[in-house]
Amino acid sequence: PTLSFWCFTPGVAMRALKEKGARCVVLASGTLSPMSSFASELALPFPVRLENPHVIAPDQVWGGVVPVGPSGKRLNSSYRFRDTDEYKAELGNAIVNFARVVPDGLLVFFPSYGVMRACVEFWRSHGAPSVWDRICNAKHAVVEPQDKKEFAAAFAEFNAALGLRSTKGRDERAGDDGGGVENGVARHRGGAAV
């Protein structure tokens, strides 16, 4: 048996950096907001901060927990349940329903590439029509590749499905063809974390 002690207070590590003489720390991310609580967790003063408003308006976001799927079965992605056929089928059917009602694109976030692959493989081979075919009937499906070299092509395919084109670093609408669903990568439009 092993007994481990883990420190989940990032301020301890940041204090050690300061004691070693670090004079400048640059934090850049789209997910650190609000900065005041994040700075508090790091237990360091941040005299210079740049925090921009989010590109998505509050009325475009819904946050919630979906504890059960369409047939009332529990959606539990813990290690013990996520490999079961029942879980993968229920999750896939929930995504089918979301894909039908969420305008534009839909993102599905998985805890790992392995879980994502297992779910997509299951969806492609189960049901008549398959869960995957039903997702694809509602949205253009794109699966995030693990290979960084293939990522740019998948990202472009997802944006094309949304009718977006890149203009000076911003995405702009080019048309509407129903949107896309991408499994894995964090991007705008509808999102669901598994």
Side-chain angles (χ1 to χ4, degrees), residues 25-38:
V25 176
V26 177
L27 302 173
S29 173
T31 59
L32 297 180
S33 186
M35 284 294 287
S36 57
S37 64
F38 189 72

Side-chain angles (χ1 to χ4, degrees), residues 12-194:
V12 173
M14 295 305 287
R15 187 172 44 244
L17 276 175
K18 185 177 180 181
E19 289 170 359
K20 290 192 181 276
R23 297 180 337 155
C24 180
V25 176
V26 177
L27 302 173
S29 173
T31 59
L32 297 180
S33 186
M35 284 294 287
S36 57
S37 64
F38 189 72
S40 173
E41 290 175 25
L42 294 179
L44 286 177
F46 285 91
V48 178
R49 296 181 190 182
L50 171 62
E51 187 173 2
N52 294 315
H54 204 284
V55 297
I56 299 174
D59 66 339
Q60 294 176 301
V61 177
W62 174 80
V65 175
V66 181
V68 296
S71 66
K73 294 179 181 141
R74 189 170 171 215
L75 290 174
N76 180 347
S77 188
S78 67
Y79 185 77
R80 190 168 130 197
F81 296 103
R82 67 181 171 215
D83 285 331
T84 65
D85 288 353
E86 181 179 285
Y87 167 75
K88 289 183 265 192
E90 195 72 359
L91 176 63
N93 288 325
I95 292 169
V96 168
N97 288 346
F98 281 119
R100 289 178 182 150
V101 298
V102 172
D104 299 323
L106 175 68
L107 298 178
V108 181
F109 302 95
F110 289 88
S112 69
Y113 282 104
V115 173
M116 180 178 69
R117 271 192 304 274
C119 286
V120 170
E121 287 170 13
F122 178 87
W123 298 337
R124 286 180 171 155
S125 62
H126 286 79
S130 72
V131 174
W132 187 254
D133 287 341
R134 290 184 297 133
I135 292 171
C136 292
N137 283 338
K139 302 283 186 203
H140 177 89
V142 180
V143 177
E144 178 186 350
Q146 198 164 352
D147 184 348
K148 289 181 183 180
K149 295 175 187 171
E150 298 171 6
F151 179 81
F155 186 70
E157 181 182 350
F158 180 70
N159 280 339
L162 289 171
L164 296 173
R165 63 179 180 273
S166 180
T167 305
K168 295 182 184 175
R170 290 189 354 216
D171 290 331
E172 294 184 357
R173 280 298 228 191
D176 186 9
D177 66 351
V181 60
E182 181 162 354
N183 294 298
V185 70
R187 189 65 177 140
H188 49 117
R189 307 295 184 245
V194 175

